[in-house]
Amino acid sequence: MSPRLLYLFAQWCLFFKQNARALQLLETLLRSEPDHHRALSVAGFLYAGQGRTKDSIAALERAAALAPDDAATLFNLGFVLQKAGRHEEAIARMTRAVELQPALDRAWYGLGISLIHTGRFREAIARLTEAARLQPLNPFARYQLAAAWFKLGEPEKVRAEYRKLKQFDPKIAAHVRDDFGVPRDGDEVA
């Protein structure tokens, strides 16, 4: 089967959530075309899903070296590096991803998370604010904004995020209240 067909069948398997089969097809493709950056990128993502962090990082780094302007690959690499606790490297990859594709809200979010982990709260707030702007109903971006404001000792800003969340995701708003000590507003049922 041609590399093109292998890749298309792998995409089809992914669509139908047959990840193990998709990975088999991609690995077959990569044996004949080891520099197929899209196959490396998708395989790296699938390795991460299997907990194969070393394989994931290796495949994604190779894909990024072959296609340094592929925002999706850079985001995926940043995400896996983040999960591995390698936040500075994740920041570099996700920063490049948002430079290439400024509307990639998940990269702004991931960037904010790694910045929080490195103690760079003001920078995290700027990135998470952009993620929330691009995806206004993302409760996780709002939660992380509240976390960063809490770390900076800004209770009114935490309360502002809580109020925004309360409008569209009361469960996450309750976590903000409970995790960061937002006082009850008086408009809540006790």
Side-chain angles (χ1 to χ4, degrees), residues 13-138:
C13 289
L14 288 172
F15 181 78
F16 288 103
K17 305 212 183 293
Q18 297 174 359
N19 293 358
R21 180 67 181 132
L23 186 55
Q24 288 174 338
L25 291 165
L26 293 168
E27 288 174 332
T28 299
L29 186 162
L30 288 167
R31 280 193 288 280
S32 65
E33 276 194 40
D35 289 343
H36 192 292
H37 86 275
R38 292 203 184 282
L40 283 163
S41 184
V42 177
F45 179 78
L46 292 172
Y47 289 141
Q50 293 181 341
R52 295 170 58 185
T53 304
K54 277 179 83 171
D55 292 333
S56 177
I57 291 171
L60 288 164
E61 283 180 337
R62 179 80 179 125
L66 291 166
D69 292 337
D70 184 345
T73 296
L74 291 167
F75 165 75
N76 287 337
L77 177 54
F79 178 78
V80 175
L81 290 166
Q82 182 182 76
K83 294 298 179 197
R86 293 165 59 179
H87 292 286
E88 291 297 338
E89 293 170 86
I91 289 167
R93 295 308 199 280
M94 289 191 197
T95 297
R96 182 69 181 135
V98 299
E99 288 170 355
L100 292 167
Q101 193 173 338
L104 192 59
D105 62 294
R106 65 186 186 269
W108 288 105
Y109 175 77
L111 191 49
I113 298 297
S114 281
L115 287 164
I116 285 174
H117 279 279
T118 59
R120 294 154 55 187
F121 303 115
R122 293 224 180 265
E123 290 177 68
I125 288 166
R127 285 13 171 241
L128 291 165
T129 299
E130 183 62 12
R133 185 190 71 75
L134 291 167
Q135 197 59 253
L137 297 180
N138 179 344

Side-chain angles (χ1 to χ4, degrees), residues 142-163:
R142 293 276 169 209
Y143 177 89
Q144 294 299 335
L145 275 164
W149 285 120
F150 178 77
K151 293 285 190 178
L152 288 172
E154 298 271 357
E156 286 309 311
K157 304 264 176 131
V158 174
R159 181 186 288 264
E161 294 305 328
Y162 164 73
R163 286 186 176 131

